[in-house]
Amino acid sequence: MVKSDIQNIKLRFGIIGNTEGLNRAIDIAMQVAPTDLSVLVTGESGVGKESFPQIIHQFSRRKHGPYIAVNCGAIPEGTIDSELFGHEKGAFTGAISDRNGYFAEANGGTIFLDEVGELPLSTQARLLRVLESGEYIKVGSSKVQKTDVRIVAATNVNFADAIAEGRFREDLYYRLNTVPIKVPPLRERPDDIALLFRKFAADFAEKYRMPSIQLNEQAKRMLVEYPWPGNIRQLKNITEQISIIETNRDITPEILSTYLPDMGNSSRLPAFVGGKGAHSGNKSFESEREILYQVLFDMRRDVTELKKLVHEIMTERESAGHHVSHPVDNASHFLQNPTLDVISDVPMVMPQVQQYQQVSQIQPVSQIQPVNKVSSITPVSNVSVKHTDSDYQDTEVYVEENLSLDDVEKEMIKKALERHNGKRKNAANDLKISERTLYRKIKEYGLE
């Protein structure tokens, strides 16, 4: 494309910069605009990805149709299907009337799905069907709807990692990524940083009716060398802060450094402990329910390990009692101490004791009269101690059960139904799910 055409597009859509990567992204957007191919715009947060779907829409045959931008990351998981595809009256609590979703409203136009990497897996399956056939089904309906929309998606998620972790469907990725457009980060556009700062400074000077701030050469060099993890959005915010706070309109490196976060201390910034790179075992928690299930599984595993530890300790004690304090070996001890309670003083032994033959040296002791306990003691030929189940109730071997999320969910539904005597409405309220979902789960798990 001719550079003059690219420059006109920049002026029309407020894009500032002259780097090759930015010009290439604009060129691709212009080339793909007349087609109906799906486009995936990728880039870090704050680089200005939202401008490219507008370019594609305005230079397409759908420019007179509707243009709808949807931030998928800002819509709760429980309502995103209804927002995108609509719902029927009574489909869930609060659905008092029929409602068209964004795909119905954007029919004949373009829909921009921002942060598409945050979509739940169930919604990704619905979106894949729209991309393949243009068909979708409203929530709570069985009627197939048709729509004719151009889908442009954007994300700052690394799809390779998301697909490997099972957070994004690989087939949907290839459908969306028919034409990729990569927007370069600000640190790869050093020549554009001073231009953007000057533009933002002039805009804020006009907005707040004050003189525009100016950077000296050292401050410009510091501004260009800064890595800008927040990209254009961060640069704009810092420019606004300096414009409002500083009374001196000539900005020096000393003044500028007070507004630039120290990247050496970036590790001190708060972060989600379970986020990317912080968790082990490739675990990811996409909802509160998954977090709860994981906590329950961890607790169950800890209890099982504790039971196994107790069992091992009991077994070691029994083994030690068997080898050190066998009743037959201590027979002379009982005979020499007739005041001992023979029954209660028997040490802990295994349920079945080996039979010893070398006891001929023990003479009959019928003439000895223990104190109120044993009238006569016959020669010991076999000692067998019978224990009841209660003696070993804590030494049962426990085997850890591997339960899936479906098993836990089935058990929770079963207990809720029993608690409410089969009343499904009350059980659904207890489980915090809709009656329709409960009916489907009951049928799925065979709890009817």
Side-chain angles (χ1 to χ4, degrees):
M1 180 179 292
V2 183
K3 288 187 177 181
S4 60
D5 295 336
I6 295 178
Q7 191 63 30
N8 291 334
I9 293 173
K10 291 179 182 178
L11 293 174
R12 179 176 176 181
F13 293 94
I15 299 175
I16 300 174
N18 294 311
T19 55
E20 183 62 28
L22 180 63
N23 292 338
R24 174 62 177 167
I26 297 174
D27 185 28
I28 295 176
M30 288 294 300
Q31 296 295 336
V32 76
T35 70
D36 277 338
L37 296 175
S38 299
V39 179
L40 180 62
V41 184
T42 59
E44 298 179 5
S45 178
V47 296
K49 297 185 294 293
E50 62 278 358
S51 299
F52 292 88
Q54 297 180 21
I55 295 174
I56 294 172
H57 176 70
Q58 292 299 327
F59 287 90
S60 70
R61 62 179 179 83
R62 300 173 180 268
K63 62 181 179 180
H64 299 296
Y67 172 81
I68 298 179
V70 182
N71 187 344
C72 300
I75 304 177
E77 181 179 349
T79 61
I80 191 166
D81 285 349
S82 174
E83 293 291 327
L84 292 177
F85 307 105
H87 62 256
E88 294 287 330
K89 179 180 180 181
F92 51 86
T93 303
I96 59 176
S97 63
D98 295 349
R99 178 186 180 278
N100 288 330
Y102 295 132
F103 278 98
E105 296 295 333
N107 188 30
T110 304
I111 185 168
F112 170 45
L113 301 178
D114 196 10
E115 303 298 341
V116 72
E118 304 299 328
L119 286 176
L121 289 174
S122 59
T123 307
Q124 292 177 28
R126 287 173 173 262
L127 178 59
L128 179 62
R129 183 176 181 182
V130 175
L131 285 165
E132 290 178 344
S133 61
E135 297 177 348
Y136 66 94
I137 300 177
K138 287 185 176 182
V139 177
S141 174
S142 59
K143 183 180 179 181
V144 177
Q145 307 282 340
K146 294 284 290 186
T147 184
D148 177 24
V149 296
R150 168 80 170 276
I151 296 178
V152 180
T155 185
N156 58 1
V157 172
N158 187 325
F159 272 126
D161 294 340
I163 292 173
E165 295 171 4
R167 293 185 290 112
F168 200 84
R169 295 176 62 107
E170 187 174 8
D171 49 0
L172 177 59
Y173 166 71
Y174 290 121
R175 280 286 183 178
L176 291 173
N177 198 37
T178 305
V179 178
I181 296 178
K182 186 179 186 305
V183 183
L186 188 58
R187 61 179 173 274
E188 296 179 4
R189 302 164 52 188
D191 296 337
D192 298 339
I193 294 177
L195 293 175
L196 289 166
F197 182 89
R198 188 160 59 246
K199 172 65 167 59
F200 293 147
D203 291 343
F204 293 129
E206 181 181 357
K207 179 180 179 180
Y208 299 113
R209 298 181 180 179
M210 57 179 60
S212 177
I213 56 176
Q214 302 289 334
L215 296 174
N216 60 25
E217 291 302 322
Q218 293 80 9
K220 287 182 180 179
R221 191 177 303 110
M222 176 183 290
L223 201 71
V224 171
E225 294 174 353
Y226 188 73
W228 298 107
N231 294 290
I232 298 175
R233 186 181 295 118
Q234 183 185 12
L235 176 61
K236 183 177 181 180
N237 292 340
I238 289 178
T239 306
E240 186 172 16
Q241 293 177 31
I242 299 175
S243 298
I244 295 174
I245 297 174
E246 293 298 326
T247 56
N248 184 4
R249 311 316 286 177
D250 294 325
I251 307 303
T252 63
E254 292 74 18
I255 297 176
L256 181 61
S257 62
T258 61
Y259 294 92
L260 297 178
D262 185 4
M263 296 306 297
N265 295 329
S266 59
S267 60
R268 300 180 183 179
L269 296 177
F272 176 49
V273 176
K276 179 181 177 183
H279 52 75
S280 61
N282 293 329
K283 296 179 180 178
S284 62
F285 303 111
E286 299 297 334
S287 66
E288 295 181 359
R289 178 177 295 182
E290 292 185 12
I291 297 176
L292 177 61
Y293 285 161
Q294 187 62 44
V295 171
L296 292 176
F297 285 148
D298 291 342
M299 291 177 61
R300 184 182 185 87
R301 183 173 59 252
D302 292 342
V303 172
T304 303
E305 291 177 356
L306 180 61
K307 289 180 180 179
K308 292 170 64 178
L309 179 61
V310 172
H311 170 67
E312 293 173 358
I313 294 175
M314 295 295 293
T315 303
E316 292 176 359
R317 290 179 57 186
E318 292 169 2
S319 300
H322 170 71
H323 293 293
V324 177
S325 302
H326 195 279
V328 176
D329 296 337
N330 291 337
S332 60
H333 170 71
F334 293 121
L335 297 179
Q336 294 173 6
N337 297 275
T339 60
L340 294 177
D341 189 340
V342 177
I343 304 301
S344 62
D345 199 41
V346 175
M348 184 181 297
V349 297
M350 295 294 289
Q352 293 186 359
V353 183
Q354 298 180 3
Q355 182 175 351
Y356 287 79
Q357 301 297 331
Q358 65 277 14
V359 295
S360 59
Q361 71 276 11
I362 301 177
Q363 302 298 324
V365 291
S366 58
Q367 69 276 12
I368 299 177
Q369 300 294 329
V371 178
N372 299 326
K373 289 296 179 180
V374 181
S375 59
S376 64
I377 299 178
T378 58
V380 180
S381 60
N382 184 22
V383 177
S384 178
V385 180
K386 184 178 181 180
H387 291 268
T388 61
D389 293 338
S390 60
D391 295 332
Y392 292 93
Q393 60 182 355
D394 291 331
T395 62
E396 180 182 355
V397 178
Y398 293 92
V399 180
E400 182 176 359
E401 300 181 18
N402 295 322
L403 298 179
S404 64
L405 293 180
D406 292 340
D407 295 333
V408 176
E409 189 175 49
K410 178 180 178 180
E411 187 66 21
M412 293 175 65
I413 293 175
K414 184 177 179 181
K415 290 182 179 180
L417 291 172
E418 292 176 354
R419 185 162 52 250
H420 295 285
N421 300 321
K423 296 181 179 179
R424 298 182 177 182
K425 181 176 181 180
N426 295 338
N429 293 333
D430 192 10
L431 294 170
K432 307 300 183 185
I433 60 177
S434 66
E435 291 184 57
R436 183 183 184 88
T437 301
L438 179 60
Y439 293 154
R440 178 170 56 81
K441 291 293 184 181
I442 290 174
K443 185 176 181 181
E444 178 181 345
Y445 295 132
L447 298 176
E448 297 177 337

